[in-house]
Amino acid sequence: RRAAATPTPVPAPDPNSAFFHANGLWRHAIGRGPSRSLEDRELWTILDHCLERLPRAFAEPFILRELEQSPPEEIQRILNLTAGNVRVRLHRARLLLRACLERHGYDGQTTS
């Protein structure tokens, strides 16, 4: 019971990883426009798979912010988090999701 109650620490992604340039910008931009990505069933299948594997502490703020379009203040209230903590969790969720999407063959580049 104690092991189940103790959260498993998730290592923070290295901000100097292969995802970022030295100036902090993404190395590889997503090549699809937002409207095309929303229609892409393959992307949603992979995203669902990756969201299921995301730690709950990162998945909840991500879903509230990106999928339900909740303002940050509402996320803070719902999850009882500080503004800084919401930002950190969203950042880590995005990094983990991007890595997962890439592992599953979705690189965001158009093939046409």
Side-chain angles (χ1 to χ4, degrees):
R1 192 185 301 185
R2 179 178 290 156
T6 305
T8 306
V10 176
D14 180 8
N16 297 318
S17 71
F19 297 118
F20 296 103
H21 290 289
N23 63 4
L25 297 176
W26 290 106
R27 288 189 184 275
H28 306 285
I30 298 295
R32 299 178 183 191
S35 62
R36 182 168 177 190
S37 292
L38 289 174
E39 297 171 4
D40 188 345
R41 292 178 74 80
E42 181 182 354
L43 170 63
W44 281 105
T45 301
I46 296 169
L47 183 61
D48 284 341
H49 169 82
C50 292
L51 279 170
E52 288 173 3
R53 281 147 185 81
L54 201 62
R56 185 175 177 183
F58 298 153
E60 287 177 336
F62 181 84
I63 291 168
L64 287 168
R65 181 70 181 136
E66 303 300 337
L67 302 180
E68 296 182 13
Q69 301 293 308
S70 298
E73 299 78 21
E74 185 176 343
I75 298 169
Q76 293 171 38
R77 184 185 54 75
I78 292 170
L79 300 178
N80 196 27
L81 299 171
T82 65
N85 201 282
V86 169
R87 283 191 304 271
V88 167
R89 289 181 187 206
L90 287 171
H91 176 72
R92 289 181 181 171
R94 290 174 182 133
L95 287 177
L96 291 170
L97 285 171
R98 184 174 180 125
C100 181
L101 289 169
E102 289 176 349
R103 271 194 314 274
H104 288 88
Y106 185 83
D107 64 4
Q109 303 300 314
T110 57
T111 56
S112 41

